[in-house]
Amino acid sequence: MLRRVLGLAVAGLCIIALASCEIPEEGSAMGALNADRANNAQGPLGANLALTNKAQDWANYLATRSGNTCSGTMLVHSQLSSGAPSGWRKLGENVGCAIRSGDLGSFVSPLQQAFMASPMHKANILDPAYTYGGVGLALIDLPNGQTLVYEVQEFAAV
């Protein structure tokens, strides 16, 4: 677990220091989100540092308070306007979690498929008003050898 916490801290510092650094899986998750938009005749979301930071902060918050569980009671939304980019006109957020074996990359597709299978989450992903997005992933190694991952997707019309 220490390895994961250190990885998240390094990723957070990288974001602050370079203003464009993300772990590959977050880029992959944003790519999957934009692929679903493209498959449904919607333009891609531009990456936004404020939304990425907001997503990562909220994913970390959910993971640290999860009690090592993934359940509907743990999937709460952030205060949407907190940490949002300036000039926003509309905001949205998807939160999800999964427990499984494998590396972080193996979570991206199943989580995106779950978002697209949910009408409310899918509506956020495909909303044509949204122009920018950000994705955050937080994970915890569980004692049984599996991994708990929280994903947060943030959306904004700016």
Side-chain angles (χ1 to χ4, degrees), residues 13-100:
L13 289 173
C14 193
I15 287 171
I16 291 167
L18 299 177
S20 65
C21 183
E22 61 183 18
I23 62 173
E25 293 83 5
E26 288 169 345
S28 179
M30 189 69 171
L33 188 156
N34 275 328
D36 281 331
R37 285 179 62 89
N39 290 336
N40 288 275
Q42 297 301 322
L45 298 175
N48 180 282
L49 182 60
L51 292 173
T52 300
N53 288 341
K54 178 176 174 45
Q56 188 61 59
D57 289 347
W58 197 248
N60 290 343
Y61 173 86
L62 292 173
T64 58
R65 285 157 180 77
S66 70
N68 293 347
T69 62
C70 174
S71 70
T73 59
M74 300 310 301
L75 295 175
V76 296
H77 289 275
S78 70
Q79 182 181 357
L80 286 177
S81 61
S82 176
S86 61
W88 63 269
R89 297 183 328 269
K90 182 177 181 180
L91 299 169
E93 180 178 73
N94 289 341
V95 296
C97 62
I99 296 176
R100 57 185 288 160

Side-chain angles (χ1 to χ4, degrees), residues 74-146:
M74 300 310 301
L75 295 175
V76 296
H77 289 275
S78 70
Q79 182 181 357
L80 286 177
S81 61
S82 176
S86 61
W88 63 269
R89 297 183 328 269
K90 182 177 181 180
L91 299 169
E93 180 178 73
N94 289 341
V95 296
C97 62
I99 296 176
R100 57 185 288 160
S101 298
D103 63 8
L104 183 55
S106 69
F107 284 81
V108 171
S109 181
L111 280 166
Q112 184 63 24
Q113 289 171 6
F115 284 138
M116 289 299 287
S118 163
M120 292 175 63
H121 294 100
K122 182 177 181 178
N124 274 340
I125 292 167
L126 301 181
D127 190 324
Y130 293 132
T131 53
Y132 292 96
V135 175
L137 297 167
L139 54 154
I140 298 171
D141 288 329
L142 300 176
N144 65 1
Q146 292 187 309

